[in-house]
Amino acid sequence: MESFWINSLNKNLEYDKLEDNQETDVCIVGGGVFGVTCAYYLTKSGYNVTILEKYKIGEKTTGHSTAKITSQHGLFYDYLINSYNKKFAKDYLDANEEAISNIKDIIDNEKISCDFEYQNNYIYTTSKEELKDIKKEVSAVESLGFQNCEFVTKTGLPFDIKGAICFKHQAQFNPLKYLCGLCKSITSNNGKIYTNTTVIDVKQENDYYITYTENNIVKSKYVIIASHYPFINFPGFYFTKMYQSTSYVIAVDTKKTLFNGMYINCKSPIFSYRTAKLDGKKVLLIAGGDHKTGHPTCYKDSYGLLENEAKKYYPNCEVISKWSTRDCISLDKIPYVGSYSNIMPNMFVGTGFKKWGFTCSNIAANIVVDSILGKTNKYSYLFDSTRLKPIKNIDEMKNIIVQSANSLLLDKLKKPNMNFDEINNNSGSIIEIANHKVGIYKNAEGKIYAVNPICTHLGCLLSWNDVDKTWDCPCHGSRFDYTGKNIYDPAFKDLEVYYTDT
Ligand code: FES
């Protein structure tokens, strides 16, 4: 099944493919919410802008999110105060609160009908032991002088909690309807949008850049890499600084009256709740089952886990959509926004938005656009993309190094413990044939799809995701469907296909 947002949109966010060479002021690589928001602000300021998107607009991370617009990014402010300082935490909070207002201003100014509604956002716990963490977060946020926060023990959820931290006046919307409105404004201000257009490289030449697609080029003074995961490996080295997390979402018709508010619990296993509108009625979105992309999930059936959760409270509910998504997470949990690298002036990036892409992408768009316009942005220091601060998350950094070494070298030498006959229908695995690793998937009828299970990004050995029937990369999170088609970056090339049953 496809994302609820994609299913519920009666319009296709598809534009022409780029078929000629072009010249523009700003070339934006990626048509998710960050790239489109940059294009929106820039075209309003009179810049010529070209967006190049590999798929359709908003079809990947933006269209697979839960679309909560909130300053609450988990229990984060206590972490920020302890890891940085109070000013840093306060500025981070202010930047996010401003982003909520900015999004509302855009919606009002452009008259975008996107089911935007203010909602309170809650981080809750049902465990007595975790209550102290919630209370610590409440004290941290109060110490920043934020008035819209309170500790509560009662919520609209259909089960009891021990306590929650509530941020008032947060919001939710339909992300693709929002992108439709932005795209309408961009094109009416002479911005150009191309979809089904894959960028394969960007090169600096004198004082401009050439962005290469498969068959054409775009020449521009500025480039913004808005492709979720920065795919240009050197310089930038973003593949050493971030990992990706996959999570799963279901949309449920509960056949009951639903609550108000947006919710997420504070510790694993994560469950996130919000409501959404479908044909005048409210449906429930539940997300969770998070795991590092390319690593085995601890829940064999992640969608089943979510469905069971829904059935506990709404026994007659019906699942109407299910989908997975993934997010880039930096090692210090702060997004990277600003110059792509110190040696590439006028090339910008916004990435590592964790699971909070709507406020983060608006902040990032404002920072990048201000840089292009030559304005100072008071929040840019928070997200400095070229920072070389000591990495605080040493454990995760070690994990990345060990995982990359294993997937690049050691796992490739290991003999797979499966053989062809042991692979069940509707499942996949890596086997060895004549000393070569082969990725095999057998569909429900036993039809065979055989691919080279080596990631086309930097060559790591892929792993099989039995929940989504995809080949996932444990190194930097690229994903490929069982036919070998690339569905998520940083890789942009498909897998080599060895064999497909006809
Ligand atoms: Fe980098 Fe696969 S995503 S090697």
Side-chain angles (χ1 to χ4, degrees), residues 455 457-460 462 473 475-478 490-491:
C455 182
H457 177 227
L458 289 174
C460 287
L462 300 170
C473 183
C475 287
H476 318 109
S478 292

Side-chain angles (χ1 to χ4, degrees), residues 17 21 62 104 110 116 121 219 223 277 292 336 339 392 415 457 469:
K17 184 176 174 163
N21 296 339
T62 304
K104 181 68 167 80
E110 303 301 331
F116 178 97
N121 191 63
K219 182 179 171 185
V223 171
K277 285 183 184 159
K292 218 167 147 185
Y336 288 108
S339 294
K392 294 185 165 58
K415 255 201 156 10
H457 177 227
K469 314 299 175 200

Side-chain angles (χ1 to χ4, degrees), residues 48-85:
N48 288 322
V49 168
T50 299
I51 297 178
L52 304 175
E53 165 57 46
K54 182 177 179 183
Y55 305 98
K56 294 173 194 157
I57 293 296
E59 194 189 5
K60 288 296 166 178
T61 308
T62 304
H64 286 75
S65 62
T66 53
K68 294 177 179 175
I69 310 167
T70 176
S71 310
Q72 262 190 319
H73 300 173
L75 299 180
F76 201 49
Y77 291 99
D78 184 57
Y79 162 81
L80 288 181
I81 292 170
N82 287 322
S83 305
Y84 299 87
N85 53 52

Side-chain angles (χ1 to χ4, degrees), residues 180-418:
C180 277
L182 292 182
C183 288
K184 199 170 148 207
S185 164
I186 292 164
T187 50
S188 69
N189 284 311
N190 300 318
K192 292 182 180 162
I193 303 175
Y194 297 96
T195 55
N196 303 310
T197 300
T198 304
V199 171
I200 54 174
D201 206 357
V202 180
K203 287 210 166 78
Q204 190 177 7
E205 290 190 16
N206 304 318
D207 59 347
Y208 57 86
Y209 286 94
I210 301 290
T211 300
Y212 293 83
T213 68
E214 282 156 326
N215 301 312
N216 299 98
I217 59 163
V218 176
K219 182 179 171 185
S220 62
K221 176 164 185 196
Y222 303 98
V223 171
I224 301 172
I225 302 294
S227 57
H228 178 75
Y229 199 112
F231 67 98
I232 297 166
N233 299 315
F234 316 103
F237 299 94
Y238 290 93
F239 65 92
T240 63
K241 306 191 274 198
M242 294 195 301
Y243 64 95
Q244 300 214 54
S245 169
T246 297
S247 35
Y248 302 84
V249 192
I250 59 171
V252 182
D253 179 359
T254 62
K255 313 202 192 298
K256 295 261 188 199
T257 307
L258 279 170
F259 49 80
N260 285 320
M262 308 180 290
Y263 301 86
I264 190 166
N265 59 344
C266 62
K267 293 271 166 73
S268 188
I270 292 290
F271 289 108
S272 153
Y273 305 84
R274 64 156 281 190
T275 56
K277 285 183 184 159
L278 179 66
D279 302 331
K281 78 176 168 197
K282 260 186 178 181
V283 297
L284 176 63
L285 306 188
I286 309 183
D290 302 27
H291 63 92
K292 218 167 147 185
T293 306
H295 292 235
T297 161
C298 39
Y299 315 109
K300 185 137 181 55
D301 176 7
S302 303
Y303 295 115
L305 172 87
L306 301 176
E307 202 171 331
N308 286 343
E309 191 65 11
K311 289 213 160 121
K312 266 195 227 167
Y313 314 110
Y314 307 102
N316 298 321
C317 68
E318 184 195 338
V319 176
I320 51 177
S321 303
K322 52 184 171 179
W323 68 94
S324 67
T325 187
R326 30 145 248 170
D327 298 283
C328 289
I329 301 176
S330 67
L331 292 179
D332 57 12
K333 304 183 195 169
I334 307 286
Y336 288 108
V337 182
S339 294
Y340 197 85
S341 106
N342 284 326
I343 59 167
M344 296 184 100
N346 298 337
M347 179 152 142
F348 300 96
V349 69
T351 188
F353 299 155
K354 306 172 284 175
K355 293 167 191 291
W356 311 104
F358 290 96
T359 52
C360 287
S361 62
N362 185 277
I363 299 166
N366 275 292
I367 291 172
V368 168
V369 169
D370 281 350
S371 294
I372 291 173
L373 301 182
K375 288 190 196 164
T376 305
N377 185 300
K378 64 180 173 182
Y379 300 125
S380 59
Y381 86 96
L382 297 168
F383 306 99
D384 178 10
S385 46
T386 57
R387 63 187 178 264
L388 285 171
K389 301 243 170 71
I391 299 291
K392 294 185 165 58
N393 194 346
I394 296 290
D395 287 346
E396 196 50 62
M397 191 171 82
K398 277 194 216 148
N399 281 344
I400 288 183
I401 293 166
V402 169
Q403 185 58 58
S404 296
N406 283 346
S407 303
L408 277 166
L409 300 166
L410 300 179
D411 290 352
K412 285 185 188 165
L413 300 174
K414 274 191 205 151
K415 255 201 156 10
N417 49 14
M418 273 263 188

Side-chain angles (χ1 to χ4, degrees), residues 420 423-429 439-451 464 469 471 482-483 497 499-502:
F420 182 82
I423 302 173
N424 294 327
N425 285 1
N426 204 23
S427 190
S429 185
I440 299 283
Y441 168 64
K442 295 181 188 172
N443 77 4
E445 289 78 44
K447 185 173 167 180
I448 295 157
Y449 298 81
V451 296
W464 177 248
K469 314 299 175 200
W471 294 104
Y482 59 78
T483 69
V497 175
Y499 173 80
T500 306
D501 265 346
T502 46

